[in-house]
Amino acid sequence: MLFETGRLCLKTAGREAGGLCVVLDKVDNDFVLVTGPRVLSGVKKRKCNIAHLEPLSVKLKMKSDAGDEDILEMLKKETELLKKLNLTIPSEADIKKWESQRTEKDKAKAEKAKIEQTKKEEDKKKAVGLSELASEKKSLEKEKKPVSLSDLASETRKLEEVRKKKESKPKEIKK
Amino acid sequence: MVRRALRSSRLKKIKRVAPSGKTVTHYERRRPGRALCSTCKGLLAGVPRLRQAKLHKLSKSKYRPKRTYGGVLCPSCLKHQLRNKAIGL
């Protein structure tokens, strides 16, 4: 197997093309989990297609659960490779600065995503409210029950009583 | 005849209606062709057909793809070059 944990590769396609990455774990026959680490080469921790990777001759001895700090310590020994790629391993102070800048950007993105979600929910509620009104109208029209003979008879009796009362009262002559 | 500067084929003639109602010819510069890959001369995607002055007034993400050698090399030529680079490492 070529693409095993610890194998160094170059990405050949996508936004991160030309970036150095380390294989962490196997996902599928076609996909592999990969990291940069991001502080070094800009490659995020995500799965990648094997067809978009070019393997190098270097392989690190590591486990699939290794963190970024452990990987950076192991990469310090490969000085020739880093020289050819013009990469320098950052110090702890540089990493902290980079993380603080990253958190500000991620916070701004999260706020934008929240605002968009609230807008979508409000639009959905409006659409649901209008649909409910339309359904209520339809249900009221359907609930018109058929009239029975007994109901008709009772209504006619009431009307006759009212008519008799009106006829019994004499009309007032207007002067 | 029209004045000499307007007689070239680099200019495009467009007919427009003036507020008075007359039709009048206006002159515009023609659009440039599509961008090509520097190695294989294939068509490049993501580069709009605009003159240099207008192209560089756009933001960077709108006039080229966000990839190394974006707007210069096509993705297949990029892969070839990166594979040759990896063999040399």
Side-chain angles (χ1 to χ4, degrees), chain A residues 17-51:
Chain A
L20 190 111
C21 57
V22 177
V23 175
L24 282 179
D25 199 4
K26 184 187 168 184
V27 174
D28 224 345
N29 281 331
D30 298 326
F31 285 93
V32 145
L33 229 194
V34 144
T35 53
R38 198 176 176 188
V39 177
L40 223 195
S41 60
V43 178
K44 289 185 189 177
K45 186 176 177 182
R46 55 182 157 190
K47 67 176 184 178
C48 180
N49 198 331
I50 285 167

Side-chain angles (χ1 to χ4, degrees), chain A residues 19-83:
Chain A
L20 190 111
C21 57
V22 177
V23 175
L24 282 179
D25 199 4
K26 184 187 168 184
V27 174
D28 224 345
N29 281 331
D30 298 326
F31 285 93
V32 145
L33 229 194
V34 144
T35 53
R38 198 176 176 188
V39 177
L40 223 195
S41 60
V43 178
K44 289 185 189 177
K45 186 176 177 182
R46 55 182 157 190
K47 67 176 184 178
C48 180
N49 198 331
I50 285 167
H52 301 157
L53 291 173
E54 186 62 29
L56 301 172
S57 58
V58 180
K59 190 179 172 184
L60 303 173
K61 286 183 183 178
M62 54 178 265
K63 290 183 182 178
S64 60
D65 299 335
D68 288 349
E69 296 170 352
D70 302 331
I71 294 168
L72 286 170
E73 282 182 9
M74 282 189 261
L75 281 171
K76 278 180 186 176
K77 297 171 189 174
E78 267 90 48
T79 53
E80 293 178 358
L81 205 161
L82 293 170
K83 269 187 190 177

Side-chain angles (χ1 to χ4, degrees), chain A residues 24-159:
Chain A
L24 282 179
D25 199 4
K26 184 187 168 184
V27 174
D28 224 345
N29 281 331
D30 298 326
F31 285 93
V32 145
L33 229 194
V34 144
T35 53
R38 198 176 176 188
V39 177
L40 223 195
S41 60
V43 178
K44 289 185 189 177
K45 186 176 177 182
R46 55 182 157 190
K47 67 176 184 178
C48 180
N49 198 331
I50 285 167
H52 301 157
L53 291 173
E54 186 62 29
L56 301 172
S57 58
V58 180
K59 190 179 172 184
L60 303 173
K61 286 183 183 178
M62 54 178 265
K63 290 183 182 178
S64 60
D65 299 335
D68 288 349
E69 296 170 352
D70 302 331
I71 294 168
L72 286 170
E73 282 182 9
M74 282 189 261
L75 281 171
K76 278 180 186 176
K77 297 171 189 174
E78 267 90 48
T79 53
E80 293 178 358
L81 205 161
L82 293 170
K83 269 187 190 177
K84 287 181 184 177
L85 291 169
N86 294 324
L87 291 172
T88 55
I89 290 166
S91 60
E92 291 181 359
D94 294 335
I95 290 167
K96 281 183 183 177
K97 215 189 243 184
W98 184 84
E99 278 178 359
S100 63
Q101 287 172 359
R102 211 73 309 243
T103 51
E104 287 175 1
K105 283 184 184 179
D106 291 337
K107 278 179 186 175
K109 276 187 184 178
E111 284 176 0
K112 275 187 184 178
K114 275 184 185 177
I115 290 162
E116 286 177 2
Q117 273 186 355
T118 52
K119 278 185 184 177
K120 281 183 184 177
E121 286 172 0
E122 285 174 2
D123 291 335
K124 274 186 183 177
K125 282 181 183 176
K126 284 182 184 176
V128 166
L130 289 169
S131 65
E132 280 180 356
L133 285 169
S135 64
E136 280 178 3
K137 280 184 182 177
K138 283 183 182 177
S139 62
L140 284 169
E141 287 173 1
K142 285 180 183 176
E143 280 177 1
K144 281 182 183 176
K145 292 178 184 177
V147 180
S148 62
L149 288 169
S150 60
D151 293 334
L152 273 172
S154 61
E155 284 178 4
T156 50
R157 272 177 226 155
K158 285 178 187 174
L159 284 169

